[in-house]
Amino acid sequence: MELGIGMFGDLAFDQTTGKYRDAGIKLREILEQVKLMDEVGIDIFAMGEHHRPEYAVSSPEILLAAAASITKNIKLASGVTVLSSSEPVKVYQNFSTLDLISDGRAEIFVGRGSFIESFPLFGYSLNDYEELFDEKLDLLLKINSEENITWSGKLRAPMENQTVYPRAKNGGKLPIWRAVGGTPQSVLSAARLGMPLVVAIIGGMPIQFKNLIEFYKQEYLKAGFPEAEMQIAIHSHTFVSEDQNVIDGYFENYKSQMDRIGSSRGWAPYTKMQYEGGRMKDGALFIGNPKEVADKINYMKEIFGITRFIGHMDVGDPAHDIMMDSIKLFGEKVAPEVK
């Protein structure tokens, strides 16, 4: 099973100044953190895309290209590319370029994203929310498998015998995963297309997703794809420390970000009870000492049969030294316990 780390580039908010932390400093810290991930043997790094003041990264592929130049082995993925408001030709070109720079280490996770700011930002209508994603995914997958493209849709101009360059290393094909938040229709679409699946489990109890993942397996096989090629990942909030005081203190980081996001969605303020409940064996937070986190990942493998786990590790913008320690423990203590 592969183990990865994901980030959104969270920026802490200073109540005194009324400003978010400097994005440039955060980006440089992320690059230092990815370099450490590579050194301690983490399999994959996934960088999210957002267009909000709470996050430093709007163009994951640029940051991933910078990371490619200072790493040797770690796979580099978007987590996710908001495909509905992106141009599929440019998405492929950006990631094929990243693939060539990194010598074949690029991947794309495509999804609708959990925010809608990118739609008005890039001139798309939310009335086309579903159709935009389906049409653009169809085009991206075609570009990924064919060098010369003839394609037509409703919301984008047609392509007639056009070529898309540069081509990625593996015969022009990039690994493209479908990232979902739990919608059965999205899972069904991924299965019927034979796409690897990433399920974001960030709340409640992971066991609640078992039927959804079994549904994917059933439909994937029914569509005629080989079981040996099936790939399933989960992406969950994660933090590792051997110091219980750090784990207890991380609640403040976690709460601050959850409350900022939740305020626009009508969520009640996040509580310590929710935090501790999520850290229990049946909860969705992979936050604790190395053995606690490793045991929980192994439990996910047992109930879901996952092939990849991605620990989302920068919620609330923890201090750089604490992040570095968490990454080191994930690679040097959690990973051997899991593998």
Side-chain angles (χ1 to χ4, degrees):
M1 183 169 68
E2 290 183 304
L3 292 177
I5 290 175
M7 294 183 187
F8 285 169
D10 289 33
L11 294 171
F13 184 76
D14 189 327
Q15 296 288 349
T16 304
T17 64
K19 295 181 180 179
Y20 288 96
R21 192 158 76 91
D22 185 272
I25 294 172
K26 177 68 175 188
L27 293 172
R28 292 188 288 274
E29 288 178 354
I30 292 173
L31 290 174
E32 189 175 341
Q33 290 160 11
V34 179
K35 187 173 187 294
L36 177 60
M37 292 177 209
D38 191 50
E39 291 168 356
V40 298
I42 301 300
D43 297 305
I44 183 163
F45 171 65
M47 186 74 244
E49 170 193 340
H50 291 90
H51 305 272
R52 298 170 59 91
E54 299 97 341
Y55 303 108
V57 181
S58 61
S59 301
E61 50 272 67
I62 293 180
L63 186 128
L64 295 172
S69 68
I70 56 173
T71 57
K72 297 177 180 178
N73 301 305
I74 194 168
K75 296 175 183 177
L76 301 165
S78 57
V80 303
T81 293
V82 184
L83 191 60
S84 309
S85 56
S86 300
E87 165 50 51
V89 172
K90 195 59 178 167
V91 169
Y92 178 84
Q93 289 176 325
N94 288 344
F95 281 89
S96 63
T97 302
L98 171 64
D99 199 55
L100 297 175
I101 292 171
S102 65
D103 196 24
R105 293 186 278 136
E107 295 190 2
I108 310 174
F109 296 177
V110 296
R112 291 180 171 87
S114 60
F115 298 100
I116 60 172
E117 286 81 8
S118 61
F119 286 81
L121 188 63
F122 297 119
Y124 292 101
S125 171
L126 284 169
N127 294 329
D128 300 323
Y129 185 82
E130 298 289 342
E131 196 169 8
L132 275 168
F133 183 86
D134 293 341
E135 187 172 290
K136 291 186 175 192
L137 179 60
D138 181 60
L139 178 54
L140 179 62
L141 293 177
K142 191 172 184 67
I143 294 168
N144 198 46
S145 60
E146 301 175 22
E147 192 166 320
N148 292 87
I149 309 299
T150 297
W151 175 93
S152 64
K154 295 180 181 178
L155 300 171
R156 186 201 185 277
M159 297 179 69
E160 182 67 35
N161 194 31
Q162 291 177 287
T163 54
V164 179
Y165 295 115
R167 304 302 296 176
K169 280 202 67 173
N170 183 28
K173 294 182 179 178
L174 293 161
I176 301 178
W177 293 63
R178 178 73 182 268
V180 304
T183 306
Q185 189 58 40
S186 297
V187 170
L188 178 61
S189 172
R192 288 180 173 172
L193 292 169
M195 297 180 71
L197 184 72
V198 186
V199 183
I201 303 179
I202 59 173
M205 299 171 65
I207 195 70
Q208 294 169 320
F209 288 79
K210 185 171 177 61
N211 288 342
L212 193 72
I213 291 176
E214 291 302 319
F215 176 56
Y216 169 81
K217 294 177 182 178
Q218 168 192 310
E219 294 299 323
Y220 179 96
L221 296 174
K222 189 187 292 185
F225 297 103
E227 185 173 6
E229 296 179 12
M230 186 187 299
Q231 296 185 76
I232 302 170
I234 64 171
H235 186 130
S236 296
H237 293 166
T238 301
F239 201 78
V240 191
S241 178
E242 293 179 311
D243 185 340
Q244 187 59 44
N245 290 328
V246 171
I247 296 298
D248 291 340
Y250 180 58
F251 166 73
E252 295 301 330
N253 293 84
Y254 196 84
K255 174 180 171 57
S256 65
Q257 188 72 336
M258 297 302 283
D259 285 351
R260 271 196 296 274
I261 301 305
S263 63
S264 64
R265 299 184 174 186
W267 297 351
Y270 193 79
T271 68
K272 190 66 181 291
M273 185 178 295
Q274 284 175 279
Y275 183 72
E276 295 302 338
R279 292 184 57 236
M280 295 176 69
K281 180 182 178 181
D282 294 325
L285 297 182
F286 293 71
I287 297 172
N289 64 46
K291 187 173 189 322
E292 288 170 335
V293 173
D295 286 349
K296 205 161 182 178
I297 295 171
N298 284 330
Y299 178 50
M300 296 301 103
K301 183 169 177 59
E302 179 185 323
I303 62 176
F304 295 133
I306 55 173
T307 58
R308 179 182 282 183
F309 174 85
I310 298 175
H312 188 92
M313 204 175 277
D314 70 337
V315 179
D317 194 14
H320 180 51
D321 60 335
I322 294 176
M323 278 291 295
M324 293 288 278
D325 186 54
S326 180
I327 291 163
K328 188 173 183 181
L329 290 171
F330 194 76
E332 294 183 350
K333 295 197 173 182
V334 174
E337 186 79 17
V338 170
K339 295 185 176 184

